Amino acid sequence: MASQALIKEFEDLLGKENVFSSEADRQSYSYDSAVLPPVVPAFALRPTTTEQLGICVKKLYDYGIPMTVRGAGTNLSGGTIPDSKESVVILTNGLNRILEINSDDLYAVVEPGVVTADFAAAVAQKNLFYPPDPGSQAVSTLAGNIAENAGGLRGLKYGVTKDYLMGLEFFDATGELVKTGSRTVKCVTGYNLAGMMLQSEGTLGVISQAVLKLVPPPKASKALMAVFDDMQKAAEAVAGIIAAHVVPCTLEFLDNNTIVRVDDYTKAGLPRDAAAILLIEVDGHPAQVADEAVVVERVLQQTGAVAVHVAKDAAEKFKLWEARRQALPVLARCKPTTVLEDATVPRSQIPAMMKAVNDIAKKYNVEVGTFGHAGDGNLHPTFLCDKRDKEEFARVEAAVDEMFDVAISLHGTLSGEHGIGTAKARWLEKETSRGTILFSQRLRRALDPKGLLNPTKLVGI
């Protein structure tokens, strides 16, 4: 338990309303969205200015107190779970201002706690477009997106958070302000420290401001739903669309388990007897959209789609995509424990990966609902179980372990967008190398000699 003198010091700095030290408050910041044991921190701090943020980091460093930065806590790998009962959680939701949206030079400047969907809506009001759209966008924050290099449904065509990060300001472990990048399209002033901070999961610094690239919105779009009586046919269709040199805005997959459960909840009228569906959207210039939609429909028919439905208006399109976005929340209601993974493979290997997931589920007798960003090789096999049933959970863990082995054997990756945190740290060397781990640890020790920034996450320190 932290000393009252230390808590009083932070109350004087931030105000009592921004220092959370009660048992109930501390419990609230002890977990994230990963299936990992909670760790109750000493207390939590909520700075409301960047100056306060820097002072908080410096004070904690000077006192030798480990710190974990938390946006909305929607991450799925344990990255915002405190490291110990001595840890202090720094909350960024008090730093939630959009400082600038520049329509002439196509960028925005934001504080770390701006909610992703709120930012996208503000940008859209200026007739501009911020494409990254993680599934948690209604609550996730932009600095959290940077720390995890978040992706989303539009990643296939538009890329992920790293493709929109132009510049950063952040505090290093000692509380010194670091500036990197620029508002200009080109910038080679010094090391690419913004790139280093991407997907660093709070282990290298504390973000205080970001410059994000914006783009013009597409002029037209068309959404389609393809129905398949066989999952492998759907997988082949994904590979076929890409091979036909069409890059849809989104290309999403749902298996039958996910379809039925989502339809039960949303009443979206999904085809409940389908083995799988693909939800596809093409966008761009109207003529391009029309041409690409024809190519996509042809590929779908050639690969065995039993039906292809084109959304007739914006309302129907929204209904389809809302059904997709509900996949995880709906599956999470089905069993006490939801283990959501994001093993990702090259797009041409989607059929092999999908078959492997089904075979592994049968082998270990576990329930899986699979959905995800099939167009960029990023599947989300979601294991539904009860962690209190030790025998069942052991089978789930064995299934996940084998799934990662398969993904790596297909030249894939452990995580397309969810990060490593502590949940996947034990598998990291399988994909990389011992030298990679040691190099990363040396880098961390050089930048954070006391080992206070999220010390047990990613590669440890």
Side-chain angles (χ1 to χ4, degrees), residues 30-342:
S30 66
Y31 59 89
D32 60 13
S33 297
V35 185
L36 293 168
V39 177
V40 179
F43 54 91
L45 303 172
R46 184 177 181 267
T48 55
T49 69
T50 54
E51 292 76 17
Q52 288 178 347
L53 177 62
I55 294 170
C56 286
V57 173
K58 178 171 174 49
K59 282 182 177 292
L60 293 170
Y61 184 81
D62 289 345
Y63 286 127
I65 299 172
M67 59 193 100
T68 296
V69 184
R70 181 186 179 98
T74 58
N75 56 290
L76 289 149
S77 56
T80 53
I81 296 177
D83 295 279
S84 69
K85 64 182 181 180
E86 288 79 32
S87 294
V88 168
V89 173
I90 300 176
L91 307 170
T92 61
N93 58 3
L95 297 162
N96 55 13
R97 295 181 300 157
I98 300 173
L99 301 174
E100 181 184 1
I101 297 176
N102 190 307
S103 299
D104 294 328
D105 292 318
L106 302 183
Y107 70 78
V109 183
V110 299
E111 290 186 327
V114 174
V115 172
T116 311
D118 293 346
F119 175 63
V123 165
Q125 288 179 353
K126 302 280 189 179
N127 196 32
L128 292 169
F129 186 34
Y130 181 70
D133 60 338
S136 58
Q137 64 175 329
V139 287
S140 68
T141 60
L142 290 169
N145 292 173
I146 294 166
E148 297 286 345
N149 194 13
L153 275 66
R154 292 191 284 256
L156 170 60
K157 181 173 183 177
Y158 289 102
V160 298
T161 301
K162 71 176 180 180
D163 301 301
Y164 297 87
L165 182 62
M166 297 173 66
L168 273 184
E169 293 186 9
F170 65 92
F171 293 102
D172 71 6
T174 69
E176 288 286 344
L177 181 63
V178 180
K179 298 183 179 183
T180 178
S182 174
R183 290 163 170 76
T184 59
V185 174
K186 297 177 180 178
C187 176
V188 292
T189 306
Y191 292 118
N192 180 12
L193 301 181
M196 182 184 74
M197 289 291 287
L198 272 159
Q199 68 196 53
S200 62
E201 302 185 24
T203 63
L204 300 178
V206 180
I207 296 169
S208 59
Q209 190 178 108
V211 182
L212 299 172
K213 180 174 75 172
L214 306 175
V215 297
K219 295 185 182 300
S221 65
K222 182 175 285 191
L224 307 90
M225 178 175 68
V227 182
F228 291 86
D229 59 7
D230 182 276
M231 282 183 59
Q232 286 307 115
K233 290 178 183 177
E236 296 292 346
V238 171
I241 290 169
I242 303 302
H245 295 174
V246 173
V247 181
C249 167
T250 47
L251 177 45
E252 297 290 304
F253 170 90
L254 284 78
D255 71 359
N256 178 261
N257 194 8
T258 308
I259 293 166
V260 171
R261 292 185 183 276
V262 168
D263 196 58
D264 283 342
Y265 181 75
T266 65
K267 312 299 182 189
L270 299 178
R272 300 170 65 89
D273 57 347
I277 60 173
L278 295 179
L279 300 177
I280 306 156
E281 184 170 345
V282 290
D283 70 356
H285 186 277
Q288 176 192 5
V289 169
D291 289 346
E292 291 187 345
V294 169
V295 175
V296 169
E297 286 194 64
R298 184 170 63 244
V299 171
L300 293 170
Q301 290 162 358
Q302 289 171 346
T303 49
V306 297
V308 179
H309 176 73
V310 179
K312 63 180 182 292
D313 53 31
E316 190 172 1
K317 182 173 74 171
F318 176 82
K319 194 174 182 181
L320 286 176
W321 291 119
E322 185 61 20
R324 162 59 184 88
R325 291 188 188 281
Q326 288 295 328
L328 176 56
V330 167
L331 289 173
R333 292 180 175 93
C334 298
K335 293 286 182 71
T337 305
T338 304
V339 181
L340 173 69
E341 294 300 349
D342 72 325

